[in-house]
Amino acid sequence: MKPLSEQCSEHQKKSAGEMQSEETRTAPGNGVTASTDPTRENPAQQNGVLSSHDVISPVSQTRTEPQPPSSAPAPPAQPPRDQWGGKYEFLLSCIGYCVGLGNVWRFPYLCYRNGGGVFLIPYFIMLFFTGMPLFLMELSLGQYGAAGPITVWKCCPLLKGIGIGMLCVSILVCLYYNVIIAWTFYYLGSSFQSPLPWSCDALHNIPLCRNKTNVTQSPSEVFWNEKVLGVVYSKGLHDPGPVRWPLALCLLAAWVVIFLCMLKGIRSSGKVVYVTATFPYFVLLVLIIRGATLEGSLNGVAFYLTPNWAHLANAQVWNDAASQIFYSLGIGVGGLLSMASYNKFDNNVIRDTLIITIGNCGTSFFAGFAIFSILGHMAWRKGVPVGQVADSGPGLAFVAYPEALALLPGSVFWSILFFLMLFMLGVDTLFGNMEGICTAVMDEFPQLRSNLKHKTLFLALLCFAFYLMGLLLITDGGIYWFTLIDSFSTSFGLIIITLFMCIGISFFYGVNQFCQDIVDMICHCPPWCTKLLFYFKACWVVFTPFLLTFILTYIFIEMYRTSLHYGAYVYPTWGKALGVCMGAFCCLQILIWAIVAVSKESGTLRDRFQKSIRPLNSWRVNNINTTTQDQHVEPQRVDGPFTVNLTEADFTSMNWEAISEA
């Protein structure tokens, strides 16, 4: 691979040469130069779209009088595609999308469980060899193609099922993720009570706190299980029970917020992220400062970071590191690809990849201090080891940490601040997932994008449908369904989708061509970009597929050996099978749509396969988004049947012969 500056100069010279050849093209047989006056419309050019099979008469190009319009129907003009108002909107949207609840309630727990500071070694190895390459692949694919997760596979129609699979995964994630925001709303509203309803100072908790001999649950656990979830009134997955209407109102409010923020697409959500993406950092900083002043906080931090080198030989540690990197970056769901599709063509995706991925991992490490400093104080107050109060997932966010906050002076203020932070983290991540769904649908049905009324109606129906489906998750037994969808929606199906994306781009589309596409976009990047492209190229071809295969193998082994459970409840076989079917449905889209793509072609099976991996004619026309004015843009080629536009010369053979003899 040549240095990036040389490739850019060659690309620009080639474009200039092509532009000059277009301007001096000579009509066949008469030596007359074809006119390129932009104010004169060629008969074969309609609505700015030039068919690849159109025949243009030389006479029609040299006539000065206007030509009668062609009787052929003009193809519908594509509505203009929105772009980010600035590069900071895109960066903040991606950071808000990646920095989610998992950074706060999952990474610190995995860190202490897997050897403390030693966990950072496999964590950053997986970041550099799996997270960054896949993140760059999604951003580059979306930005170069200027299309969503389905339409972007014009680059390789055989793999269109990857985009459909991403859409299925995103639907499942949106279905249960907004339930977390509904829980956050409930806790946020309850935080305005003094004393907090899950603290020992509340009147209804005084008998529970005084009876320390037969206590099986803390006040925070009672509030979570009885007041919020109502799980004590359900027997299991088969017994969902009635809808909990306070949570139903919170879920409705959550979807209304999402609808209003996404009403104008990235023009509205791009402004909201200035608050939602930055506010959590302010809260984390405040919590770290407050935690550092508490007695016992150093014990919590020591528990968080104390290294245990023996854990490096455990395969579970490496799998946890890979899964945390994979899921925290939001790879393979379509959100990154969709957000990148609204970038300018010459945006530096390599720079953005480094900033977002390193910032995301730094936030996870940073959040661990805020969590364990206060949990250390809680353990000191109770006189128990830190390990007995540490937890992961909803158990940390809605049980352990609220209980710790209730012990602080000014607990109402700290509780409001914490749950407001969780709300911001959840909303940002949901923005990305919803954007992936909306972009995919609007790219397939462009009329939705051009008509604000239709777009608003579509978004309203989509949010309302998610609300109705989400009601199952806020019943008495809804937490069992929540855990089932959470466990399998982003499990093996998502890994398989991402593995095929990596293999398809590297070997079907061509890793060299993909690297050249990146070069075409970032010609003004410093020289170190070239060296990084060599590194990413090696990852896409070798390291990343190998590590994804390792993760996938481990997931299948663990799925076979272990049972799914929530607390003491063990899921029945039919429940686990239902979860496997959800994951399988997502990844089977790859096979189904590959068969469809091959069946649409003609010839032998080998010919059909080769045709189905070729990019469509309209794949490389999206670089018109570039702001470089002197860059040559190839006329758009329409993916349609063979057409010929006839002119007057075709009906006046005498004139044609006379011109030819002249």
Side-chain angles (χ1 to χ4, degrees), residues 530-596:
T530 306
K531 298 179 181 179
L532 278 181
L533 273 180
F534 279 116
Y535 155 72
F536 285 123
K537 184 177 179 180
C539 289
W540 290 328
V541 175
V542 180
F543 299 114
T544 304
F546 171 77
L547 291 174
L548 289 178
T549 305
F550 161 75
I551 299 171
L552 188 62
T553 304
Y554 193 88
I555 287 176
F556 281 130
I557 293 175
E558 285 296 305
M559 189 185 305
Y560 177 77
R561 293 192 309 180
T562 61
S563 59
L564 181 64
H565 61 87
Y566 174 78
Y569 174 75
V570 179
Y571 281 72
T573 304
W574 67 267
K576 191 174 180 179
L578 183 61
V580 172
C581 289
M582 281 191 294
F585 177 78
C586 296
C587 60
L588 280 177
Q589 303 300 318
I590 302 174
L591 176 62
I592 294 173
W593 290 93
I595 294 175
V596 172

Side-chain angles (χ1 to χ4, degrees), residues 63-78:
R63 286 179 178 268
T64 57
E65 64 272 11
Q67 296 293 327
S70 172
S71 59
Q78 295 294 326

Side-chain angles (χ1 to χ4, degrees), residues 8 103 203 220 222 246 267 386 392 434 504 519 581 597:
C8 292
N103 298 71
L203 293 178
S220 60
V222 172
R267 287 180 295 172
V386 181
S392 176
M434 286 292 291
V519 168
C581 289

Side-chain angles (χ1 to χ4, degrees), residues 37-49 60-61 66-67 69 74:
D37 184 0
T39 62
R40 185 176 301 141
E41 182 180 0
N42 294 329
Q45 190 169 354
Q46 299 168 357
N47 292 337
V49 179
S60 64
Q61 290 185 320
Q67 296 293 327

Side-chain angles (χ1 to χ4, degrees), residues 113-115 118-119 122-123 311-322 554:
R113 193 185 74 177
N114 292 309
V118 172
F119 181 69
Y123 182 72
H311 282 74
L312 285 178
N314 189 352
Q316 175 69 40
V317 176
W318 293 84
N319 179 71
D320 284 346
Y554 193 88

